Every structure is written in structure tokens, then in C-alpha cells.
Amino acid sequence: MTSLPDTSPDLTRLVEHAHESGIRVWWRHLDDCDGAWSAPHRSIWMRPDLTSRESRSLLAHELGHAYYGDSGPQSSAAESRAWRYAAWLLIDGHAYSDAEHTMGPHLGGLAEALDVTTSVVEGFRSLIGSAP
């Protein structure tokens, strides 16, 4: 396995979670996407030039595809479900509430405060059935 491009505890925890689930995580240049899950290879590939926030969010999203057994090109429903899984892994309800109290309902501000992408915030809102 190649070395991690980011050594933040959260990314490390996600990689460990993947390994415990029998999934290998690889960083390599991808031409047409930021990351991908391959069910036949039990591997996740991610671009090495992603930010820490993007890496954490995308790895959690791809772990969602692995969890649900997704394979091949995904429907919008499967993509949404994987973002909800990422939100479940990355966002604590109390932290979200605190961030929303401080930042308001703006996706970008919440994503920054929670150190995730806006797609993860949208996934969390979908999990709790909330939208501004």
C-alpha cells in the first residue's frame, strides 16, 4: 500500500476501518473521478491531490458503497445513500447542532466547521430529515 497523503487521525481511523473490513485503500492518479470503489478487488482508489477534508469525506463515501455492496456505475439513489453513510461515519449530531447554531444553515459554513464536504452535510441532513 502507498503511504497516506494525510496523517490526520480521522483519515487514519477511516483507513483502519477499511482494513478491518478487508478493504485496501490506494492513492493514485485517476483520470475521470476523485475516487472509486471496486467490489471485485475489495479496494478503494483515491486521488492523492485531494485536501484532507475531501479525502476524509470521499473515503467515507466509498466505504458506504462497500458497505452496501454497490458495484459498477451507481444510480443517484446509491450515490445519495453512500453520502448518508459518510455522514453517519463523520458527523456527530451534537457537533452538527453546535455548528448550525454558530454558522447558520449555510452548507459551506457547516462543511467547513465540521471538516467535511458539502455532500456529507447534505447526507447528514437527509439522515435526520432536515433541510433549511
Side-chain angles (χ1 to χ4, degrees):
M1 184 165 106
T2 58
S3 64
L4 296 176
D6 181 338
T7 58
S8 74
D10 288 329
L11 183 60
T12 300
R13 180 181 58 82
L14 289 172
V15 171
E16 289 170 355
H17 174 71
H19 288 175
E20 290 166 2
S21 301
I23 298 167
R24 294 177 296 185
V25 180
W26 306 91
W27 277 265
R28 65 173 50 161
H29 296 284
L30 303 170
D31 292 330
D32 57 350
C33 62
D34 290 339
W37 155 247
S38 171
H41 296 101
R42 302 248 345 125
S43 294
I44 293 171
W45 288 280
M46 296 184 27
R47 285 188 17 215
D49 58 342
L50 299 174
T51 66
S52 173
R53 179 182 307 171
E54 291 167 335
S55 293
R56 289 178 62 242
S57 298
L58 185 61
L59 180 53
H61 171 83
E62 297 303 338
L63 286 167
H65 285 307
Y67 178 81
Y68 289 110
D70 297 337
S71 185
Q74 300 303 309
S75 67
S76 60
E79 289 297 325
S80 294
R81 182 180 63 193
W83 284 120
R84 287 191 301 273
Y85 185 88
W88 176 76
L89 283 177
L90 297 176
I91 298 179
D92 172 78
H94 296 293
Y96 180 87
S97 180
D98 291 346
E100 193 171 59
H101 179 74
T102 303
M103 305 301 292
H106 184 263
L107 279 175
L110 289 169
E112 185 175 334
L114 296 166
D115 196 28
V116 297
T117 62
T118 57
S119 295
V120 177
V121 174
E122 289 172 329
F124 185 80
R125 285 179 173 174
S126 177
L127 273 176
I128 62 172
S130 170

